[in-house]
């Protein structure tokens, strides 16, 4: 029992991967509409948890998470569409294994490209704070969208029309398996000795610097890691719907992710997961009233800020839960 408690986070990760695999094998028995909502919720969990590392645990304010998602979506889709047939040929033709290997390569390329973009934005801009950082990341988000939108329509990215014919590799196992890994990595990092630096930067950046904490390094690490998982989420999104366009990765998408983090509780992993699932479901319920969606979200956010500004499940809730366990 003591051994299980010592390695409970690893046990939860293995259990989550096992459950994801079992449910994925039985996904043919799940209604297609319900399954798609579940997969979108899983992708939103990855986006919200990764942004929570930057905005919640490190105390920064990024408005460009959808840009990193877009980089991952486009780059992974380009690998699958342009290089996929060659990779399948090298692996002996189409099969479950070869498709899986191709998908892993595509996701890693998308995630790494997003991480590089995160580093390129992070190094020069993360000496900024508050509103200035938010403006820089918002500008990056729009730059990414405009770059993909203005590529040639006959090129690999499809210009304003976007990309079509992307293989549907995303399954329940891939989406929720990567979501479980994202939660595990973020939670383990924040709760480790090294990860206390993230919390120190969030609580008081000036005091942290006076104590010898390299605040810029911690902010860049958080930014790069968050961008990497956002890139993976973008790759899963592209291979779920089979088509992407620049409009899907604009400012409003970043706002959706930020709302999940704020409603769940800044710095609370469990709260962010619950908020991502709840808002995904609510968003689907409002599909027939699309023009009222942002109004409902705005009202919900205002009410939460008045009634429960710490979020649904704040950090204090997680601390009490860990002590009771």
């Amino acid at each position: 029992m003591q051994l299980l408690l010592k390695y409970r986070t690893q046990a939860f990760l293995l259990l989550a991967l096992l459950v994801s695999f079992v449910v994925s094998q039985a996904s043919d028995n799940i209604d297609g509409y319900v399954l798609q909502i579940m997969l979108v919720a899983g992708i939103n969990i990855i986006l919200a948890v990764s942004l929570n590392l930057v905005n919640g645990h490190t105390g920064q304010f990024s408005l460009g998470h959808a840009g990193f998602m877009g980089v991952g979506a486009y780059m992974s889709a380009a690998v699958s569409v342009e290089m996929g047939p060659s990779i399948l040929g090298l692996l002996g033709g189409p099969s479950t294994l070869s498709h899986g290997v191709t998908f892993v390569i595509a996701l890693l390329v998308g995630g790494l490209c997003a991480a590089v973009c995160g580093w390129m934005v992070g190094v020069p801009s993360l000496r900024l704070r508050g509103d200035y950082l938010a403006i820089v990341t918002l500008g990056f988000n729009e730059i990414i969208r405009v770059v993909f939108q203005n590529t040639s329509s006959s090129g690999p990215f499809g210009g304003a029309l976007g990309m079509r014919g992307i293989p549907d590799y995303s399954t329940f196992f891939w989406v929720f398996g990567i979501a479980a890994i994202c939660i595990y990595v973020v939670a383990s990092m924040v709760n480790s000795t090294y990860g206390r630096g993230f919390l120190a930067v969030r609580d008081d950046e000036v005091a942290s610097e006076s104590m010898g904490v390299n605040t810029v390094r911690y902010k860049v690490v958080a930014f790069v890691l968050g961008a990497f998982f956002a890139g993976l989420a973008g790759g899963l999104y592209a291979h779920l719907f089979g088509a992407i366009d620049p409009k899907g990765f604009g400012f409003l998408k970043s706002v959706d992710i930020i709302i999940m983090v704020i409603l769940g509780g800044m710095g609370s992993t469990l709260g962010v997961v619950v908020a991502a699932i709840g808002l995904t479901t609510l968003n689907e319920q409002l599909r027939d009233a699309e023009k009222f969606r942002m109004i409902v979200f705005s009202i919900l956010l205002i009410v939460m800020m008045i009634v429960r500004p710490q979020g649904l499940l704040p950090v204090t809730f997680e601390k009490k839960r860990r002590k009771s366990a």
Side-chain angles (χ1 to χ4, degrees):
M1 180 62 69
Q2 291 180 348
L3 185 64
L4 182 60
L5 289 174
K6 182 179 180 181
Y7 295 103
R8 60 183 178 181
T9 54
Q10 291 85 348
F12 285 144
L13 174 61
L14 292 176
L15 179 61
L17 292 175
L18 179 61
V19 171
S20 299
F21 179 77
V22 172
V23 175
S24 182
Q25 296 301 307
S27 59
D28 291 339
N29 299 320
I30 303 176
D31 181 76
Y33 175 71
V34 174
L35 179 61
Q36 180 169 300
I37 296 176
M38 294 170 67
L39 296 180
V40 172
I43 292 172
N44 284 336
I45 288 173
I46 301 172
L47 291 168
V49 171
S50 59
L51 181 61
N52 194 35
L53 176 62
V54 179
N55 286 20
H57 294 299
T58 316
Q60 306 308 300
F61 192 67
S62 171
L63 283 171
H65 218 55
F68 300 124
M69 179 188 179
V71 171
Y74 270 96
M75 297 309 296
S76 64
V79 171
S80 295
V81 173
E82 301 295 331
M83 301 174 58
S86 300
I87 297 174
L88 292 175
L90 291 174
L91 296 174
S95 67
T96 302
L97 178 61
S98 61
H99 284 303
V101 172
T102 303
F103 190 35
V104 169
I105 293 173
L107 287 179
L108 288 177
V109 169
L112 291 174
C113 289
V116 170
C117 289
W119 179 82
M120 292 174 61
V121 175
V123 170
S125 67
L126 284 183
R127 294 184 182 275
L128 304 174
R129 302 175 185 177
D131 298 341
Y132 299 103
L133 177 60
I135 292 170
V136 169
T137 54
L138 173 60
F140 165 77
N141 197 154
E142 287 302 296
I143 288 172
I144 290 297
R145 183 185 65 81
V146 171
V147 165
F148 284 123
Q149 182 172 309
N150 286 281
T151 57
S152 173
S153 59
S154 59
F157 299 128
L161 297 177
M163 297 183 66
R164 301 290 183 270
I166 305 170
D168 54 344
Y169 289 148
S170 294
T171 63
F172 194 95
F173 171 73
W174 287 115
V175 171
F176 282 92
I178 293 177
I181 293 173
C182 178
I183 294 171
Y184 171 77
V185 170
V186 171
S188 298
M189 177 174 286
V190 171
N191 294 321
S192 66
T193 304
Y194 175 82
R196 296 302 174 187
F198 295 112
L199 305 182
V201 173
R202 179 192 67 188
D203 292 339
D204 195 322
E205 191 170 334
V206 176
S208 300
E209 289 179 346
S210 66
M211 295 297 293
V213 176
N214 189 337
T215 58
V216 173
R217 183 182 67 181
Y218 276 101
K219 289 191 286 186
V220 170
V221 169
F223 219 78
V224 169
L225 188 60
F228 173 75
F229 279 110
L232 295 184
L236 292 168
Y237 178 89
H239 290 85
L240 172 63
F241 291 101
I244 53 176
D245 63 76
K247 293 183 293 184
F249 308 106
F251 168 67
L252 291 180
K253 182 60 180 178
S254 289
V255 171
D256 284 347
I257 306 169
I258 290 172
I259 291 175
M260 294 174 192
V261 174
I262 294 175
L263 291 183
M266 299 283 279
S268 172
T269 301
L270 180 59
V272 166
V273 170
V274 172
I277 296 173
L279 287 179
T280 302
T281 305
L282 177 61
N283 192 33
E284 192 61 35
Q285 296 299 320
L286 294 172
R287 181 175 292 276
D288 293 334
E290 178 65 23
K291 60 183 179 180
F292 300 112
R293 184 177 69 90
M294 292 307 297
I295 298 176
V296 173
F297 277 21
S298 301
I299 294 174
L300 180 62
L301 189 60
I302 293 171
V303 171
M304 281 295 298
M305 290 299 97
I306 296 174
V307 177
R308 195 174 176 82
Q310 70 270 35
L312 293 173
L313 299 174
V315 180
T316 52
F317 173 84
E318 289 196 349
K319 291 180 178 178
K320 292 178 181 178
R321 182 174 58 85
R322 284 197 292 267
K323 289 180 179 179
S324 63

